[in-house]
Amino acid sequence: MIPARFLYFALIVILGSCSSPVTAQEISVQEEALDTAISKETFKEVTSVLVSHQGSLISEQYWGVGGVDYLNDTRSATKSLTAMTVGAAIMDGHLSGISDTMVRWFEAERPFRFESDAKDAITLKDLLTMSSALDCNDNVWETPGNEEHMYPARSWTYFVVDMPTDNTYARDSSGQGLFRYCTAGSFILGQIVERATNQPVDEYISERLLAPLGISQVNWDRSPSGEVMTGGGAEFRSRDLMKLGELVRQGGTLDGKTILGEDWSKDMLTAHVNANDKQDYGYQWWRRDFDCGAGSVSGWYMAGNGGNKVAIFEELDLTVVVTAQLYGTSGMHQQSTDIIEDYVLSGHTHCKIHG
């Protein structure tokens, strides 16, 4: 196990194409101060913080059970990988595009108890942006599609496709529905990819996305009937989470390999719907402004229960991984944001101020 003190790497681990050498003058991660804060439990249950600048891992710290080979339960950060998988399937010609409908892939499951025109109209984009007509909201227990109602079901696929729709659902003038956080929708995206590729979705992800990045260690959650959970719970090493973040930050190309494609990477990191007063949502990726010196900087990120976060800052050539196990606790997401703002961004001398 890696001791609870920091490990500092400068130009040792190359995660992608490098530009000029990174120096302490360009970025200064406050490693000792962060180590002290975690030791004093100012931040709780943090297992790792990694920072990459210009494609090079420049700071790597572990605490508690964390370590180089520790597999972190990323919870809902998995959803962002699912969006990458949908993009790969479109790029490979298995899916026609984001306007493809959900139900066309589940004709074998018909008849559904809950048929509706609204259900027939649900598209991949609706699922990717958490704005479909499904009566599903993980923040409202009473909704039929709440994830906690799904887990006891033997077939999660049938649970989703047979779910009722919200009779108050409406699209705005642009065709966009309201944001409602729905893990079941992220799960069904994985099942759509599985049917489109005629391959178990975990195998497709491993062959198409992970293997080209040199990622071989991953554990997946599964339903009682063995369906792969693409809505959360995949376990990855912190360094491998960094590779996923770097792939997206660098426009779908890493270490000279075009793995995802620039068009999908750009569309995935476009604010398609407003999630709340602080956050926008792309395709299973979150966006918010982070404090950065005297101003702020826009950051896109994967986020999961416990405070897990993989944040990319395109303007700063910066990627930050925070893994934590503060599951189900108020303030868990703010904790990881505070770490990024106070110990990484505050020391960046090239912050681009956004007013």
Side-chain angles (χ1 to χ4, degrees), residues 214-260:
I215 300 174
S216 60
Q217 296 175 270
V218 57
N219 289 334
W220 294 94
D221 278 351
R222 297 177 184 271
S223 75
S225 59
E227 300 151 305
V228 176
M229 178 45 152
T230 51
E235 298 178 353
F236 286 94
R237 301 188 319 154
S238 297
R239 289 183 179 180
D240 292 338
L241 291 172
M242 178 64 78
K243 291 177 183 178
L244 293 173
E246 277 291 287
L247 173 65
V248 176
R249 185 187 69 79
Q250 297 189 36
T253 298
L254 193 63
D255 198 22
K257 302 175 184 176
T258 300
I259 299 171
L260 192 57

Side-chain angles (χ1 to χ4, degrees), residues 53-68:
H53 188 226
Q54 297 178 342
S56 295
L57 185 63
I58 62 165
S59 179
E60 183 173 27
Q61 297 172 264
Y62 296 98
W63 300 270
V65 298
V68 172

Side-chain angles (χ1 to χ4, degrees), residues 135-138 140-150 159 163-164 182-184:
D135 195 358
C136 176
N137 188 336
D138 292 347
V140 179
W141 172 265
E142 292 78 14
T143 58
N146 184 289
E147 64 178 315
E148 297 301 330
H149 304 322
M150 179 176 73
F159 175 89
M163 190 185 301
C182 178
T183 295

Side-chain angles (χ1 to χ4, degrees), residues 79 125-132 134 136-140 166 169-170 172 176-183 186 272-277 279-287:
K79 292 178 171 70
K125 182 177 181 180
D126 294 333
L127 298 171
L128 286 163
T129 57
M130 300 260 187
S131 60
S132 80
L134 292 174
C136 176
N137 188 336
D138 292 347
N139 296 316
V140 179
D166 180 0
Y169 181 79
D172 62 21
Q176 181 71 57
L178 289 176
F179 177 88
R180 293 181 302 174
Y181 194 77
C182 178
T183 295
S186 302
H272 294 285
V273 62
N274 179 247
N276 53 52
D277 61 349
Q279 298 174 107
D280 297 314
Y281 204 65
Y283 293 161
Q284 310 279 285
W285 281 75
W286 299 88
R287 193 214 68 83

